[in-house]
Amino acid sequence: MADDKTKVGGQDRTRINLSEDYEVRDWCNSLDVTEEQLRMAVAAVGDEAETVRVHLGKK
């Protein structure tokens, strides 16, 4: 299902969606990582933002 941009918040902030360019860009900026680093982290630990932060040593 496509990302409904009219529904934001909640789970949308806790998951990293790698199929939306703007989300990849925003997460890379937020976590101060490259797109490759972000994709590798999500591949390693899943798309939950908090888990990715811990994996990247950002928290």
Side-chain angles (χ1 to χ4, degrees):
M1 177 167 31
D3 192 11
D4 185 349
K5 292 167 186 55
T6 64
K7 296 180 180 177
V8 294
Q11 187 179 21
D12 205 33
R13 289 185 222 152
T14 64
R15 302 280 181 194
I16 298 174
N17 181 355
L18 295 177
S19 59
E20 295 289 345
D21 291 340
Y22 72 94
E23 285 202 32
V24 172
R25 180 196 66 228
D26 291 349
W27 280 112
C28 286
N29 288 336
S30 174
L31 297 170
D32 193 31
V33 295
T34 66
E35 181 176 341
E36 181 180 3
Q37 290 171 313
L38 179 65
R39 290 185 181 278
M40 289 175 62
V42 170
V45 298
D47 67 353
E48 188 175 326
E50 187 60 28
T51 305
V52 171
R53 277 189 189 96
V54 170
H55 178 76
L56 291 169
K58 300 297 180 176
K59 187 164 186 180

